[in-house]
Amino acid sequence: MAGTIYFANYPIPLPTTTFQALVEQLPVYLQTKISKFRRWEDAHASLLGKHLLLAALKAHGRTANLHMLRYTGFGRPFLEDNMDFNISHAGRMVACVVSPHGRIGIDVEAIRPINIQDFKGQFTDTEWAAINNAPNPLNAFYAHWTCKEAILKADGSGLNTALSSLDVTNKSMVTLEKNQWYLHEIKAFPDYACHVATDQKGLTLKVEEVRF
């Protein structure tokens, strides 16, 4: 079993003509959503994330349009077939993971200096000890954080599940409400922490860059 992570970097804004051409390829409701972002980085992340999904659908021989996107009661987008996907962005990079095998989620975070003490309440005592005793507590913090977010995004519960209720000390397999999730650390993105969560054991992942 295999899944694929498609990613794109956008260190500077796309040329206006290129950006607009990409926008016009999307359904009107997505065009409207993108137009409401105030920061160009957010607009690019939203736009390119959707085009990464289009690229993924095309690569897997599926109909490459987003008119068939549906949303769960928790706001998680999905396709009405057996292809699951999830999108995450941070800094000036966006990634879309797809899998024809079960549920999948991805979280990417730019590793930047922060006061990790401000986030203590989001972790269990075991996790907090592991983070603070790690050779690099900052990197350990981001590793734990992306594990939690990837699972919650794959599960679809999102903000409805407290991060502190999810212990990811065992980063290979985690149980959430009787469902088992298998974690994969993605090391392909320098200066970013990234994990993928899937409900399928033994899933392999490949990484492909898409340029716009």
Side-chain angles (χ1 to χ4, degrees), residues 48-73:
L48 298 184
K50 301 305 185 297
H51 275 278
L52 290 177
L53 177 55
L54 287 172
L57 292 173
K58 184 177 180 180
H60 285 79
R62 308 299 175 92
T63 302
N65 73 70
L66 300 184
H67 294 281
M68 54 190 174
L69 271 182
R70 300 293 183 267
Y71 295 84
T72 68

Side-chain angles (χ1 to χ4, degrees), residues 39-56:
R39 298 174 66 249
W40 74 265
E41 294 92 340
D42 296 329
H44 277 60
S46 181
L47 173 66
L48 298 184
K50 301 305 185 297
H51 275 278
L52 290 177
L53 177 55
L54 287 172

Side-chain angles (χ1 to χ4, degrees), residues 6-175:
Y6 297 88
F7 77 98
N9 290 299
Y10 46 100
I12 60 174
L14 292 171
T16 301
T17 53
T18 302
F19 182 88
Q20 191 58 38
L22 292 173
V23 168
E24 292 173 357
Q25 295 174 36
L26 301 181
V28 173
Y29 80 96
L30 290 176
Q31 295 184 31
T32 301
K33 179 180 178 180
I34 291 169
S35 70
K36 293 181 178 179
F37 287 110
R38 294 184 178 182
R39 298 174 66 249
W40 74 265
E41 294 92 340
D42 296 329
H44 277 60
S46 181
L47 173 66
L48 298 184
K50 301 305 185 297
H51 275 278
L52 290 177
L53 177 55
L54 287 172
L57 292 173
K58 184 177 180 180
H60 285 79
R62 308 299 175 92
T63 302
N65 73 70
L66 300 184
H67 294 281
M68 54 190 174
L69 271 182
R70 300 293 183 267
Y71 295 84
T72 68
F74 291 118
R76 185 185 193 271
F78 67 94
L79 299 165
E80 291 185 324
D81 62 11
N82 62 351
M83 174 72 75
D84 196 33
F85 75 94
N86 197 231
I87 299 171
S88 181
H89 66 88
R92 294 181 180 177
M93 191 268 282
V94 59
C96 173
V97 64
V98 296
S99 173
H101 310 287
R103 298 289 287 272
I104 200 160
I106 185 171
D107 190 57
V108 178
E109 298 289 343
I111 298 176
R112 55 185 177 83
I114 57 172
N115 183 1
I116 64 174
Q117 299 298 322
D118 292 341
F119 299 89
K120 181 179 180 180
Q122 305 300 322
F123 298 92
T124 66
D125 290 342
T126 303
E127 292 173 324
W128 196 242
I131 290 170
N132 284 279
N133 292 328
N136 188 322
L138 184 66
N139 286 353
F141 165 84
Y142 279 110
H144 282 74
W145 187 275
T146 53
C147 284
K148 288 172 178 279
E149 290 286 352
I151 291 172
L152 296 182
K153 292 178 71 178
D155 180 75
S157 55
L159 297 176
N160 294 279
T161 300
L163 290 178
S164 58
S165 68
L166 180 61
D167 193 310
V168 297
T169 304
N170 177 2
K171 291 187 176 61
S172 58
M173 192 276 287
V174 176
T175 300

